[in-house]
Amino acid sequence: MKHSILRKYWGYDTFRPMQEEIIDSVLAGHDTLGLLPTGGGKSLTFQVPAMILPGVTIVVTPLISLMKDQVDNLADRGIRAVLFHSGLTAREKDLGMTRCRLGKAKIAYVSPERLRNERFLAELRTLTVSLLVVDEAHCISQWGYDFRPSYLRISDLRRIVGEEVPVLALTASATPEVTADIMKHLGFREPRVFSKSFTRENLSYIVRYADVKEPMLLRILSATSGCSIVYVRSRRRTRELAALLNGAGIPSEAYHAGLAPEEKEERQDRWKRDEVRVMVATNAFGMGIDKPNVRLVVHYDLPSSLEEYYQEAGRGGRDGKESLAVVIAGKRDKALLTRRVNESFPPKDFIARVYELAGNFLDVAVGEGYGMVYEFNFTLFCSTFDLPPVPTQSALHLLTRSGYVEYIEETTSRSRLMVIMRREELYDLNLDPDTEEVLQTLLRAYTGLFADYVYISELMIAERLRLSSEQVYRSLLTLSRLHAVHYVPRATTPYLVYTTSREEPRHLIIPIEVYERQRARMEARTEAMKEFVFNTTSCRAGTLLRYFGETPSKPCGKCDVCRAARRTVRLREEASAASTQLEESILYQASRPAGASVTDIIANLTPHYTSDEVIAAVRSLIDRSRLNLEGTRVKTIS
């Protein structure tokens, strides 16, 4: 049955390595951990069982943008899925839950912060749940690089849906201690672990050293061909480098989390269609991007951990063909990595100050706020109180880990709309000409508006009608006020949730596990990243494998360290062969009965060898008792 579902919905005849074993384990009711590298096809390991099992499959994932993409992709394949996260309206949440209850949705994607909502958990008890999936499962481990406290609630979710419901935990990169921690927190019973080797045979890891990186980037891209990704750490740098590359005749786009959804989609599609060769991006780009022919991944800025690096570099060569993962490193990068540790763990008095100011900003009184969700304009917050953004964001994350608040960095959500009035009632509306045209364009351009929320583009409608985006926006608000449609404009606002009542700053306790021990772990990950980049004697692929708990059988032979070692051996062999040839020539001349003078030997071997090389070789032969010096002449020793 699994193969017929694979063919029917995905058009494949066979599964990728490890997919089928994980699916069989899940269908047999076993708690299962799947360690599949980036591009290994994790989604199919729960999407196929979801189509076989009765009821609904719940997928907990922190990636809201990827959640939306997966729901859309499944809809294109004729599979109904729903999603639940804090950015949805109450109407959307109710509609999604009703679909699950009526069996009209096979998969429900859930953001971890929804597990804090008692009403949502109560509604889950009314569903028939056959499988619980934890995507990005490393987030549940405090040993991991991306720990999220809200993930700890998944153990409660397991009790709600039923202990007999199997759990499938998936991650692309996890060290042995993180793997053990995942299974412990999720309460695995007789766990089945399926781990695909972290070896990527077709990927060559290269490090190039340059203090001025732009010329090196241009050289790398000019010396290679094919689709490429360049990873940087800031939005500004995406724009700067894309402009630099375009100016050099290398078609490029910039991509970061701050772009409007339409811009992201357009740029991503151009890159996917190979109309643009290079995507210069922050780490917002890549999750769920299934483009097999990426030939080059460049890290212009260093990531903070090998887990992050491995996932991002792994987006190259998914088609199995030879590809390059190149790091450009400079002298300042070591100090920058250390600075990131300090920014991620600002002083505790600064954390307390951020907590106090956040309460003032949201007008939450001491002793109030418990369980409340507040829109939190982070940029305005920082500018209002003149706070440095990076340490402030870190302070909010540490407060989240300490259990005082939950800071949810919501990604930009696209505008969406559903028609809630019956079709015949729409004709009775008394609308102004612009609003009438907007409504007609909606009905012509989008299907399914009467049955579900559909993502719309105000810009596209405006261009079609030759109106301004503001005019379209006002018309949509008019239709919403008339209860003809339910319109949810796009939003980029993060959220702050008070998980306890607001405390006095002096009563804040940042636990050792959250601050000192997590800092020590980040420092260890940072040192591992430095070791990978700046060690010029160890095979880079081997360094990666050892970090993830594997023992490499041999050097990869492809990384820059292995290539340099091979080059050194070749040069040494060539020098040895040349030395042997020189010595044989000297011995031949010295084998005559009268021997040969050193002057004649030098003259006969010029210009192939210098006099210094000949004299050094003669001395070596004498020292090794191959020649005998008699005055100015040398003779071989029988």
Side-chain angles (χ1 to χ4, degrees), residues 192-459:
R192 303 292 177 92
V193 179
F194 297 90
S195 177
K196 191 177 176 185
S197 172
F198 287 88
T199 302
R200 290 290 304 274
E201 298 285 358
N202 64 316
L203 205 56
S204 299
Y205 300 103
I206 308 292
V207 177
R208 290 288 177 257
Y209 301 104
D211 290 332
V212 181
K213 296 188 178 184
E214 290 91 340
M216 178 62 76
L217 177 63
L218 289 170
R219 272 203 300 278
I220 291 167
L221 287 166
S222 299
T224 56
S225 60
C227 181
S228 307
I229 305 173
V230 176
Y231 278 111
V232 297
R233 297 282 297 188
S234 73
R235 298 178 182 184
R236 176 178 56 83
R237 190 162 281 164
T238 65
R239 296 188 293 268
E240 291 173 350
L241 287 185
L244 172 74
L245 297 179
N246 283 318
I250 302 172
S252 306
E253 288 279 18
Y255 188 104
H256 55 77
L259 295 173
E262 294 86 357
E263 288 181 286
K264 286 182 185 176
E265 192 171 326
E266 181 187 350
R267 295 180 186 193
Q268 188 173 298
D269 287 346
R270 291 188 64 209
W271 180 76
K272 280 185 172 180
R273 294 193 300 264
D274 293 321
E275 295 172 11
V276 172
R277 180 189 166 196
V278 181
M279 187 68 83
V280 185
T282 61
N283 61 7
F285 180 75
M287 288 292 183
I289 303 300
D290 190 17
K291 185 167 171 59
N293 65 334
V294 177
R295 298 275 73 86
L296 172 69
V297 177
V298 179
H299 278 84
Y300 189 91
D301 297 324
L302 300 190
S304 295
S305 71
L306 284 176
E307 288 96 331
E308 293 172 79
Y309 173 74
Y310 181 79
Q311 287 202 23
E312 291 166 4
R315 291 178 185 126
R318 292 187 180 182
D319 55 5
K321 296 181 181 178
E322 290 296 323
S323 303
L324 296 173
V326 182
V327 172
I328 304 177
K331 291 176 183 175
R332 294 177 61 247
D333 284 323
K334 279 188 179 181
L336 285 173
L337 286 173
T338 302
R339 192 178 81 187
R340 275 186 219 158
V341 175
N342 294 329
E343 289 178 336
S344 297
F345 293 88
K348 290 186 178 180
D349 57 351
F350 178 82
I351 298 171
R353 181 167 175 257
V354 168
Y355 177 77
E356 182 179 25
L357 293 176
N360 297 344
F361 182 70
L362 297 172
D363 199 23
V364 178
V366 172
E368 301 294 331
Y370 172 67
M372 297 297 293
V373 180
Y374 297 91
E375 287 191 0
F376 188 72
N377 188 324
F378 178 78
T379 303
L380 180 60
F381 174 64
C382 289
S383 62
T384 300
F385 299 105
D386 195 26
L387 295 169
V390 175
T392 301
Q393 195 169 52
S394 299
L396 290 168
H397 288 311
L398 290 165
L399 288 165
T400 297
R401 293 184 176 194
S402 300
Y404 291 102
V405 299
E406 186 157 359
Y407 176 55
I408 303 162
E409 297 176 81
E410 194 75 68
T411 56
T412 303
S413 62
R414 294 166 59 187
S415 300
R416 51 201 187 275
L417 180 143
M418 179 180 180
V419 178
I420 56 178
M421 188 175 278
R422 293 198 302 272
R423 188 182 292 272
E424 57 271 18
E425 292 178 310
L426 294 174
Y427 298 115
D428 297 330
L429 293 173
N430 185 21
L431 303 175
D432 63 83
D434 285 350
T435 304
E436 179 66 37
E437 284 194 315
V438 168
L439 176 60
Q440 293 304 320
T441 302
L442 279 171
L443 297 175
R444 286 194 299 268
Y446 299 101
T447 57
L449 285 168
F450 288 88
D452 203 351
Y453 287 87
V454 174
Y455 293 118
I456 65 168
S457 168
E458 294 92 338
L459 181 61

